């Protein structure tokens, strides 16, 4: 009995010690030996139209490593206090054949999240992302998009969905095999392939090819709010003349 009591006591001490260490690990102290660059990862989050998961999309620049996901307990905390974020191990999945990546998560509550990765000798963080999968689930629509494909530089235009607080639009032109050709952001509800006059942010790493007549392509559009939640997602297949 004494031996059992000692073992039980030791197990409790070890358990408490482990819990204490886990509680101390936050976004604030996860990168003690790295220079941290804030709001330098392009990221947003959307609820899935297939199940109850949430997709946290981000753009991994060439050479980026050590992708990490952090979350708060709920949405009531101060989003700018990094002590409120704890790391959670989540698998990283490819989007557009690896041009983008995502974390696929499940959450019973709305909260704030941050994505990070290492680049060179620095750790880069996204701006805080507000999950809204319960109060404002991402709307999946296609009828809001119009495409003028009469030339090899098609013009895409669109309207917002049911939510009025969309601030910026992310457009992707890809092959039907999900090979990304161009990825751009505009504040305007219009984009012409590959005209950069209205583009405010461009993640296309090289000049995209001219589109081929009668070959199917895919247009994907994300309408994103100021706190980086995807209000709507649209997708259409098109061909150019």
């Amino acid at each position: 009995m004494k031996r059992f009591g000692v073992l039980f006591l030791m197990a409790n001490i070890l358990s408490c010690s482990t819990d204490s260490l886990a509680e101390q690990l936050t976004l604030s102290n996860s990168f003690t030996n790295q220079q941290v660059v804030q709001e330098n990862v392009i990221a947003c989050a959307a609820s899935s139209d297939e199940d109850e998961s949430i997709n946290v999309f981000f753009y991994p620049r060439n050479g980026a490593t050590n992708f990490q996901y952090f979350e708060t307990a709920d949405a009531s905390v101060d989003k700018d206090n990094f002590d409120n974020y704890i790391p959670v191990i989540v698998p990283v999945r490819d989007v557009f054949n690896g041009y983008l990546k995502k974390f696929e998560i499940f959450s019973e509550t709305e909260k704030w999240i941050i994505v990070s990765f290492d680049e060179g000798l620095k750790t880069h963080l996204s701006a805080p992302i507000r999950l809204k999968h319960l109060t404002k689930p991402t709307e999946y629509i296609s009828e809001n998009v119009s495409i003028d494909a009469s030339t090899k530089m098609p013009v895409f235009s669109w309207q917002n969905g049911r939510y009025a607080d969309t601030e910026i639009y992310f457009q992707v032109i890809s092959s039907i095999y999900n090979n990304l050709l161009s990825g751009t952001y505009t504040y305007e509800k219009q984009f012409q392939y590959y005209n950069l006059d209205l583009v405010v942010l461009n993640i296309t790493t090289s000049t995209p090819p001219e589109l081929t007549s009668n070959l199917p392509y895919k247009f994907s559009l994300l309408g994103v709010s100021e706190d980086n939640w995807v209000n709507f997602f649209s997708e259409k297949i098109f061909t150019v003349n």
Side-chain angles (χ1 to χ4, degrees):
M1 291 295 294
K2 290 185 177 180
R3 183 181 180 189
F4 177 79
V6 170
L7 290 175
F8 182 78
L9 178 62
M10 290 178 63
N12 273 279
I13 292 173
L14 289 173
S15 175
C16 292
S17 175
T18 301
D19 290 343
S20 176
L21 289 173
E23 290 172 0
Q24 292 174 6
L25 186 58
T26 68
L27 181 56
S28 294
N29 56 25
S30 292
F31 311 111
T32 54
N33 297 321
Q34 290 274 79
Q35 180 180 346
V36 175
V37 183
Q38 298 184 34
E39 300 191 10
N40 198 32
V41 174
I42 300 170
C44 61
S47 52
S48 172
D49 64 334
E50 298 178 349
D51 54 30
E52 296 181 352
S53 66
I54 302 166
N55 293 312
V56 183
F57 301 104
F58 64 97
Y59 171 56
R61 295 188 291 269
N62 289 335
T65 60
N66 192 26
F67 308 120
Q68 294 194 62
Y69 167 86
F70 298 83
E71 64 179 25
T72 65
D74 55 47
S76 67
V77 301
D78 180 3
K79 66 181 176 63
D80 297 317
N81 184 347
F82 290 164
D83 285 333
N84 291 325
Y85 293 83
I86 62 170
V88 179
I89 297 175
V90 184
V92 181
R93 304 179 188 277
D94 286 343
V95 181
F96 291 112
N97 295 324
Y99 202 101
L100 303 179
K101 292 188 180 295
K102 71 174 183 178
F103 295 110
E104 186 176 320
I105 66 168
F106 292 85
S107 179
E108 295 182 354
T109 60
E110 296 190 347
K111 57 188 63 177
W112 292 96
I113 65 172
I114 285 179
V115 175
S116 77
F117 59 63
D118 293 345
E119 188 179 31
L121 299 177
K122 301 178 181 179
T123 294
H124 300 262
L125 310 180
S126 71
I129 302 168
R130 172 67 153 83
L131 300 188
K132 301 177 183 177
H133 55 297
L134 301 179
T135 56
K136 296 178 67 175
T138 302
E139 183 182 12
Y140 286 80
I141 50 177
S142 60
E143 63 273 11
N144 64 322
V145 174
S146 299
I147 302 176
D148 178 359
S150 58
T151 72
K152 292 184 179 181
M153 295 181 65
V155 177
F156 308 89
S157 56
W158 55 86
Q159 298 298 321
N160 287 334
R162 68 170 67 104
Y163 306 125
D165 62 336
T166 299
E167 292 289 333
I168 197 168
Y169 306 93
F170 177 46
Q171 313 91 34
V172 172
I173 314 298
S174 64
S175 73
I176 59 170
Y177 303 107
N178 287 322
N179 295 314
L180 187 145
L181 304 180
S182 78
T184 51
Y185 284 81
T186 67
Y187 289 123
E188 305 297 328
K189 300 183 182 72
Q190 187 181 90
F191 171 70
Q192 181 178 28
Y193 183 88
Y194 178 65
N195 184 337
L196 302 181
D197 288 348
L198 299 178
V199 171
V200 295
L201 182 61
N202 187 7
I203 65 168
T204 315
T205 55
S206 59
T207 303
E210 182 179 277
L211 300 183
T212 302
S213 298
N214 300 317
L215 191 68
Y217 295 94
K218 185 164 60 176
F219 175 71
S220 303
L221 174 69
L222 282 69
V224 185
S225 65
E226 185 177 8
D227 46 17
N228 302 301
W229 178 252
V230 177
N231 282 337
F232 72 84
F233 180 91
S234 303
E235 191 172 84
K236 275 195 171 182
I237 304 296
F238 69 95
T239 59
V240 298
N241 296 334

